[in-house]
Amino acid sequence: MKLVHGSKEGRRLLARLRRPLGEAELPEAVRQKIGRVFGAELDAQAVVDRILADVREGGDAAIRRYNKEIDGVQAGDDLSLKVSAKEIKDAYAQVDEKVVRALRFAADRIRTYHQKQLDHSLIGFDEGGLGQVVRPLRRVGMYVPGTTAAYPSSVLMTGIPARVAGVAEVYMATPAAADGSISPLKLVAADITGVDGIFRAGGAQAIAALAFGSETIPRVDKICGPGNIFVALAKKIVHGLVGIDGIFGPTETLVVADGDADPALCAADLLAQAEHDALASPILITTSDALAEAVMREIEQQLESLERREIAAAALEGQGLAIVAETLEEALALANEYAPEHLSLAVSDGERYLGQVANAGSVFVGGLSAEAVGDYTAGPSHVMPTGGSARFSSPLVVHDFLKVISVVSLDEAALAELGPAAVVIADAEGFTAHARAIERRLEGGR
Amino acid sequence: MKLVHGSKEGRRLLARLRRPLGEAELPEAVRQKIGRVFGAELDAQAVVDRILADVREGGDAAIRRYNKEIDGVQAGDDLSLKVSAKEIKDAYAQVDEKVVRALRFAADRIRTYHQKQLDHSLIGFDEGGLGQVVRPLRRVGMYVPGTTAAYPSSVLMTGIPARVAGVAEVYMATPAAADGSISPLKLVAADITGVDGIFRAGGAQAIAALAFGSETIPRVDKICGPGNIFVALAKKIVHGLVGIDGIFGPTETLVVADGDADPALCAADLLAQAEHDALASPILITTSDALAEAVMREIEQQLESLERREIAAAALEGQGLAIVAETLEEALALANEYAPEHLSLAVSDGERYLGQVANAGSVFVGGLSAEAVGDYTAGPSHVMPTGGSARFSSPLVVHDFLKVISVVSLDEAALAELGPAAVVIADAEGFTAHARAIERRLEGGR
């Protein structure tokens, strides 16, 4: 973890962490696999183009081929891409009852939060024949990454807001293990969420299947959820044909701390961020030199006992940053420029500083608000904007599964009020058929 | 305009109109220009990649070069990319006072509607330390196409919702004419909207400038507005680095009419759609064979007197379609599958059928609700989802310029309630640092 003083240098280093998606070179192991699968040295974009075209053309057979060649699934064609009801039922036996209870508890909290959010989301209105109706999307597909690791929380955090919004059909695609099985944790979480169908499909072939449809996998209206660079690029390419929730990169936590913050808790939060993956960004901005140094010492100590210490160390080495700023206002200005996914306000009067937060996915206010609670049980979705996209986008919200339809319903009085000016502008734009369509009505129609 | 009977054949022909963006071949004239400008036969994607890279690297100079080589701007480097205050002031003298009044009237209507929409949009809440805050975006850039034609209404329909949402800075980029001037209609509309800066930049170079920033043009948080295939592809590529409102293709109107509808008005609405451009889609679905034939006769007659009859005829020939369905329910089912940008319900009991509309940008209810009024003065934005994207997206709404920040602010009681289950899930996911960050707090911290 690098320690720097002053917001000028801090700003420069934060800006360097904002590498556009796909500009980093692919790891050697991935490049070798691409060579084996495609017989050529393709870049990520070319790989994704090939997979999308193949799945669009070949359907289930192409999905199976890529599941095998890329994800290493060895199960034969007799195993359906669709997970059976029995597999889901059997999954419960493989998950500790304590974990099932915790997932149900988390599901309840997430559902309750999003029901409140729905109450504060878009609503329909009609004033004098002008208004909007709000409708849920019909079919949503969520992608859940990971074969060795399983993140049941991401299933809940994506699927439950969709269900609360009233989406009629919610599907899940996720990579299978070599024997074709899906992690029981994911299956239990999907069952608790109330998913309508679970499909064995990983990476870009999963996104292609959800965008185009295949014999087994339904075409959806919107695809949600995070994934690796291939998933992100595939979502970007199919966007327009289907909706997407956003383009997600590695996760980030920025802790703003004053001199009274607890260094052990700041360190624990930064390590919780760092253990995600080697590309995660754990960042501290503080007004106290002493705190910065204490946090760095704590990180070294706490790191020793972590199971995922190699990953956390790599993230700290690669992206870890501690910046000492002059004032909390300066610290928050830097945080707003960086626009982190997670922002922890480890300051004495957190609520006061909340008003200065312009760009963040989620804010954790005060020393007790562990970001990790937000990852699981607080309620708001942990699917959030990364890479600085908090400048212009929101966490996954109920509204992502709703849409507006504008309604124009004019009577004669409204037409008489609105029509003449519309005719003038239509004529000015050279659209005489527009003008005529209005004039015919103003003249009394039939 | 092609007439077919039965929803099976209608469904097949409607599906054929849903060509994915960028799959159509570029017109010969465009291909020749690409050859001249780039010295190679590039496809649209390759052209856009080149322009984005060049503007990112070269800033203003690259924008000027493409303004000249692609858009034919002959003005020298002494003319700033930024439109001056004097140019805006002078524009008023060039626009008929009647048109200025009509634009002001439209602006008032659009503002009033979007203020109501804001009242029905996302709002903040805080329940027991969990909630959301809603913030406007800081900087928005709108792209306004057209050099020969000028669409001041699009300026109002994009900029005013942003202003109502509370966006601090709203910018506009638009192609200039050969002499470097911008259409006075657009300048007046921008001034009425209250735009903070107008820039001479067209096509993909404008999108690049708004996404990356240049010496003159500020980098924005979100880019809005329609454009040609190059603009659409450029928006798609920069999405993630900046927000975008959507990916827009040619415009579409679908009229659902019963036997009592006025064929002259149906024809007038379809022609108003057809005159937009040769790729526009004017579609009629009716339960009455007699009406279908009467509308087609009316179209032939009304077409004669239109200024833009060649364009309208090309659109009718290329995409025009009249489908005779068995029932209105069947007609609406077809309309929902097609998911039109504009849907006119030319039926006796329009309000009743509104409930059956699942997918549309905007619905025009009853014979008096001319779609053309919606284009100008009704109030809802006319920037709407095309190409079937109404399945998953909304017209441009105030919410497009707002974002949510989730807030988690826990006290000891909340932590005690939420923490233990979070620890269980974190352990199940193998994230021990997550578990430790919570346990440290449950144990009482410092």
Side-chain angles (χ1 to χ4, degrees), chain A residues 1-62:
Chain A
M1 193 160 188
K2 195 178 172 80
L3 172 64
V4 298
H5 289 79
S7 48
K8 193 173 165 200
E9 181 64 1
R11 177 170 288 118
R12 196 181 68 80
L13 290 173
L14 284 173
R16 276 180 48 188
L17 289 177
R18 287 288 176 234
R19 286 167 291 210
L21 185 79
E23 287 201 351
E25 190 152 289
L26 294 173
E28 179 56 27
V30 175
R31 294 212 305 276
Q32 284 183 7
K33 183 184 271 191
I34 289 172
R36 281 198 305 275
V37 172
F38 297 94
E41 283 187 30
L42 304 181
D43 64 12
Q45 177 80 37
V47 164
V48 171
D49 283 340
R50 282 273 286 271
I51 297 174
L52 291 178
D54 287 348
V55 171
R56 189 175 178 183
E57 179 71 26
D60 281 359

Side-chain angles (χ1 to χ4, degrees), chain B residues 245-290:
Chain B
D245 54 349
I247 298 160
F248 303 114
T251 178
E252 326 149 339
T253 289
L254 194 155
V255 177
V256 170
D258 61 19
D260 293 333
D262 182 336
L265 295 182
C266 292
D269 287 352
L270 293 165
L271 285 168
Q273 171 60 214
E275 76 171 339
H276 269 283
D277 71 74
L279 293 174
S281 293
I283 299 165
L284 172 73
I285 308 182
T286 176
T287 48
S288 161
D289 211 5

